[in-house]
């Protein structure tokens, strides 16, 4: 099979590396323009990227040093629920050892001691992970993801894992097509399958095949961003093992510590603030104006189909949610995982294309609705932007709630009404706890004759013991800064 990937960047070179590793007998080319710059600000990942890295037999120490990388244990949300409050969504599985009611043990603590901060949920349910986070320490036995420079990551993949890829530098000026799809590019580049990695431009799927784009703007408020890079002033303290997301006037600011610098950006909605005012808000948050700022316009949503005729879209050309929860590279490696599964049958039928479209859209929609929950559960009402989030009607997303087909927001309501008892996967319960959205209450427990204060206090003691033991276990661990310095950067 002959495959042409159009577009470089992290999506293009991740696609090329994946296909070369899984289909060494395919003829694969990548065409990119010297005149088009990549978005190049995706610097944060979530733990599922480790599955893709294992698929390609990559050792993380190989690329971290080459991509200015670091390790990430959690995502912190500051001022999302209310101003002055923060909470974590840690990676890994919750620790329910000796818990009487799984994740609900912490909620019983909250019911008996209402002054318990919402941030305590992560400390109790993920005690070891949060011990490392709170002490700014690291070792490779904990669950982690990465912070890295996405542009450098793409170039590293190109040089290290794409040696058999036919790399072509050229501008696409003409695209020839018929009823079966694309015939050629510039009347000379021909393939059986074309993969669109051209970013928000979506040259093949959108501009050429005219596949409809489904906007998610009714569910996700943000469509713009300003991004910049700042230098460390106290690296050992500022190099944190987590991404910090801070809600401000008309959106939120990411803070991603790499080895040599910090990447930061303001994600906002143009419906509530223009670009100039947003830049002023961002500068005010940073406390400086002496930086170079990059403007990014985001296309939020997903194409109706991602595999149309002989064209597949991967990355921003397929769709984008927004930067919250580090989902940009997530959709790239997850869509690639589904793509290679459908390419393994050698001949491609419409069933394979439809299967790819369904699987990718399901993953994407679930993630989009999960991100939307961060806004829906907020009690911020200090600006028109936050008031609109708090007052939005969600009835359309909550109807047709069926256990056999539960996604995103529907799943959140279903789990809450069933008391979160079955240890839900993903981060829903962490976000719900941070936003004080409880799965139960004292009135319901009393009504059901299940309120036993002595038993609940026993549960609470168990939670505290796990927290205490976790901190004791890591007392001799070293800081993330020292770990990277000693084991990765050899300084």
């Amino acid at each position: 099979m002959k495959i042409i990937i159009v577009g470089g960047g992290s999506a293009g070179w991740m696609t090329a590396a994946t296909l070369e590793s899984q289909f060494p007998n395919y003829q694969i080319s990548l065409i990119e323009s010297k005149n088009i710059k990549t978005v190049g600000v995706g610097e944060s990942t979530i733990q599922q990227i480790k599955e893709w890295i294992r698929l390609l037999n990559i050792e993380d120490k190989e690329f971290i040093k080459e991509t200015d990388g670091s390790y990430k244990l959690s995502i912190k949300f500051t001022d999302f629920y209310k101003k002055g409050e923060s909470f974590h969504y840690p990676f890994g599985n919750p620790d329910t050892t000796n818990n009487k009611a799984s994740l609900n043990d912490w909620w019983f603590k909250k019911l008996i001691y209402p002054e318990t901060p919402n941030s305590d949920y992560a400390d109790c349910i993920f005690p070891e992970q949060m011990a490392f986070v709170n002490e700014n320490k690291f070792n490779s036995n904990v669950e982690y993801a990465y912070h890295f420079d996405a542009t450098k990551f793409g170039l590293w993949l190109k040089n290290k894992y794409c040696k058999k890829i036919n790399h072509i530098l050229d501008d696409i000026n003409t695209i020839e097509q018929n009823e079966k799809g694309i015939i050629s590019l510039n009347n000379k580049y021909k393939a059986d399958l074309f993969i669109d990695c051209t970013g928000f431009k979506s040259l093949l799927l959108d501009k050429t095949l005219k596949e409809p784009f489904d906007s998610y703007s009714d569910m996700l408020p943000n469509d713009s961003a300003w991004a910049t890079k700042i230098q460390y002033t106290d690296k050992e303290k500022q190099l944190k093992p987590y991404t910090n997301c801070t809600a401000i006037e008309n959106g939120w600011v990411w803070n991603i510590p790499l080895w040599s610098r910090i990447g930061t950006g303001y994600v906002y909605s143009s419906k509530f603030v223009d670009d100039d005012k947003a830049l002023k808000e961002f500068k005010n948050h940073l406390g400086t104006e002496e930086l170079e700022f990059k403007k990014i316009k985001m296309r939020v949503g997903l194409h109706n189909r991602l595999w149309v005729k002989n064209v597949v879209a991967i990355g921003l050309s397929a769709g984008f949610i927004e930067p919250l929860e580090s989902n940009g590279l997530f959709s790239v490696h997850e869509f690639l995982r589904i793509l290679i599964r459908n390419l393994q049958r050698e001949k491609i039928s419409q069933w394979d294309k439809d299967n790819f479209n369904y699987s990718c859209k399901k993953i994407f929609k679930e993630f989009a609705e999960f991100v939307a929950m961060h806004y829906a559960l907020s009690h911020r009402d200090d600006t028109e932007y936050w008031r609109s989030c708090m007052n939005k009607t969600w009835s359309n997303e909550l109807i047709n709630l069926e256990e056999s087909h539960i996604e995103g927001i529907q799943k959140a309501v279903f789990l809450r009404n069933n008391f979160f008892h079955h240890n839900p996967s993903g981060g829903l319960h962490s976000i719900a706890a941070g936003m004080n959205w409880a799965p139960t209450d004292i009135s319901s427990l009393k009504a059901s004759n299940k309120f036993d204060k002595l038993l609940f206090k026993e549960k609470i003691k168990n939670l505290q013991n796990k927290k205490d033991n976790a901190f004791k276990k890591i007392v001799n661990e070293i800081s993330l800064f020292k770990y990277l310095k000693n084991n990765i950067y050899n300084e």
Side-chain angles (χ1 to χ4, degrees):
M1 179 182 286
K2 292 184 67 175
I3 298 176
I4 289 179
I5 303 163
V6 181
S10 51
W13 290 111
M14 285 176 72
T15 300
T18 302
L19 294 179
E20 179 175 318
S21 72
Q22 301 303 305
F23 306 103
N25 296 324
Y26 284 6
Q27 297 179 46
I28 304 169
S29 300
L30 185 148
I31 304 174
E32 64 176 336
S33 170
K34 293 186 294 185
N35 304 312
I36 298 176
K37 293 183 178 180
T38 60
V39 173
V41 296
E43 298 170 330
S44 190
T45 63
I46 52 181
Q47 63 268 36
Q48 287 86 346
I49 195 172
K50 291 168 69 177
E51 298 176 7
W52 177 82
I53 285 172
R54 284 194 293 269
L55 177 68
L56 271 67
N57 294 315
I58 296 174
E59 290 287 338
D60 60 17
K61 290 183 179 180
E62 284 187 68
F63 73 83
I64 289 179
K65 187 173 183 179
E66 299 297 324
T67 60
D68 201 21
S70 181
Y71 292 100
K72 171 183 175 180
L73 308 180
S74 177
I75 304 173
K76 183 179 182 181
F77 297 92
T78 302
D79 296 341
F80 264 79
Y81 174 49
K82 293 178 180 178
K83 275 189 171 182
E85 293 193 20
S86 65
F87 62 92
H88 277 267
Y89 165 19
F91 297 153
N93 296 317
D95 179 1
T96 56
T97 308
N98 298 324
N99 285 17
K100 303 296 183 182
S102 191
L103 304 176
N104 284 356
D105 280 27
W106 183 84
W107 283 106
F108 300 142
K109 176 181 181 180
K110 181 74 170 174
L111 293 177
I112 297 173
Y113 304 110
E115 71 280 2
T116 302
N118 297 333
S119 59
D120 184 65
Y121 178 85
D123 293 339
C124 288
I125 302 299
F126 300 87
E128 184 173 0
Q129 193 80 356
M130 287 305 299
F132 278 100
V133 168
N134 291 326
E135 295 297 303
N136 200 12
K137 293 183 176 183
F138 180 79
N139 75 33
S140 58
N141 294 321
V142 294
E143 189 64 47
Y144 59 84
Y146 310 98
H147 292 145
F148 54 69
D149 185 313
T151 300
K152 290 182 178 180
F153 183 60
L155 292 174
W156 179 81
L157 287 173
K158 166 191 167 184
N159 295 326
K160 182 82 175 181
Y161 285 86
C162 300
K163 294 179 179 178
K164 295 181 181 178
I165 301 295
N166 179 27
H167 183 208
I168 302 167
L169 291 175
D170 201 356
D171 292 313
I172 305 301
N173 298 313
T174 64
I175 300 176
E176 297 72 45
Q177 58 179 313
N178 59 19
E179 70 281 357
K180 294 182 179 180
I182 293 176
I183 302 171
S184 64
L185 308 173
N186 292 351
N187 274 307
K188 62 178 179 178
Y189 304 120
K190 298 180 179 181
D192 302 301
L193 183 67
F194 294 85
I195 301 182
D196 189 343
C197 295
T198 60
F200 288 130
K201 185 179 181 180
S202 192
L203 178 63
L204 306 185
L205 188 66
D206 189 351
K207 300 296 189 296
T208 303
L209 297 187
K210 310 296 183 185
E211 180 63 18
F213 184 80
D214 299 328
S215 173
Y216 280 31
S217 60
D218 60 328
M219 181 168 60
L220 299 166
N222 301 322
D223 60 5
S224 305
W226 283 106
T228 190
K229 303 169 184 177
I230 58 180
Q231 300 303 311
Y232 286 110
T233 54
D234 188 338
K235 190 171 180 178
E236 186 159 11
K237 288 184 178 180
Q238 292 173 286
L239 182 59
K240 303 286 188 181
Y242 56 82
T243 301
N244 190 17
C245 307
T246 303
I248 62 173
E249 295 94 326
N250 292 288
W252 62 278
V253 174
W254 75 72
N255 185 281
I256 301 173
L258 305 186
W259 175 248
S260 69
R261 58 159 175 96
I262 298 171
T264 184
Y266 180 21
V267 182
Y268 60 94
S269 172
S270 62
K271 297 176 184 176
F272 296 91
V273 62
D274 61 38
D275 294 340
D276 291 338
K277 186 177 179 183
L279 183 57
K280 289 180 181 178
E281 291 174 350
F282 187 27
K283 290 178 177 178
N284 182 61
H285 172 78
L286 295 176
T288 181
E289 296 191 4
E290 298 177 0
L291 297 168
E292 293 184 8
F293 295 89
K294 179 179 182 178
K295 174 73 177 64
I296 302 167
K297 188 67 177 175
M298 301 182 296
R299 187 183 65 150
V300 177
L302 186 70
H303 281 284
N304 185 47
R305 294 175 297 171
L306 310 179
W307 191 336
V308 181
K309 298 181 179 179
N310 64 343
V311 171
V312 176
I314 298 290
L316 300 178
S317 58
F320 186 57
I321 297 172
E322 70 138 273
L324 198 65
E325 290 286 355
S326 311
N327 64 82
L329 292 181
F330 170 83
S331 66
V332 173
H333 56 69
E334 290 306 289
F335 287 9
L336 285 172
R337 179 180 60 82
I338 298 167
L339 176 62
I340 60 177
R341 177 176 293 176
N342 286 280
L343 287 177
Q344 284 169 350
R345 300 209 312 146
E346 297 179 6
K347 290 185 178 180
I348 300 168
S349 68
Q350 188 59 44
W351 167 265
D352 298 309
K353 298 175 186 179
D354 292 343
N355 180 267
F356 176 84
N357 287 330
Y358 169 80
S359 301
C360 292
K361 289 185 71 173
K362 186 175 187 298
I363 289 173
F364 190 92
K365 185 183 179 187
E366 283 187 357
F367 210 128
E369 290 189 339
F370 173 57
V371 171
M373 291 297 296
H374 296 61
Y375 301 101
L377 295 179
S378 175
H379 279 179
R380 290 274 303 256
D381 62 358
D382 50 299
T383 65
E384 184 183 351
Y385 171 91
W386 287 107
R387 286 191 292 272
S388 74
C389 292
M390 195 169 75
N391 295 325
K392 175 179 164 45
T393 300
W394 291 95
S395 58
N396 290 337
E397 286 76 14
L398 299 178
I399 60 174
N400 299 323
L401 180 60
E402 299 177 5
E403 187 174 353
S404 60
H405 184 68
I406 299 169
E407 297 180 352
I409 294 167
Q410 293 183 357
K411 181 178 180 181
V413 176
F414 177 83
L415 292 180
R416 186 199 195 212
N417 292 339
N418 286 272
F419 286 6
F420 291 167
H421 268 176
H422 69 293
N423 263 358
S425 60
L428 170 63
H429 56 98
S430 293
I431 303 305
M435 299 286 202
N436 201 33
W437 196 55
T440 188
D441 60 86
I442 285 183
S443 299
S444 299
L445 290 169
K446 286 182 176 178
S448 61
N449 199 29
K450 292 180 180 178
F451 182 70
D452 185 335
K453 200 165 188 176
L454 290 177
L455 177 60
F456 290 171
K457 286 187 174 180
E458 181 185 331
K459 297 176 183 180
I460 293 166
K461 186 177 180 180
N462 173 53
L463 296 177
Q464 186 61 47
N465 287 339
K466 286 193 285 188
K467 280 202 318 185
D468 294 342
N469 290 335
F471 277 97
K472 290 176 184 176
K473 281 176 64 177
I474 71 159
V475 68
N476 294 320
E477 300 290 349
I478 60 176
S479 70
L480 173 63
F481 169 79
K482 288 180 179 175
Y483 183 92
L484 290 168
K485 183 178 179 181
N486 296 344
N487 295 282
I488 304 295
Y489 293 94
N490 303 316
E491 292 182 3

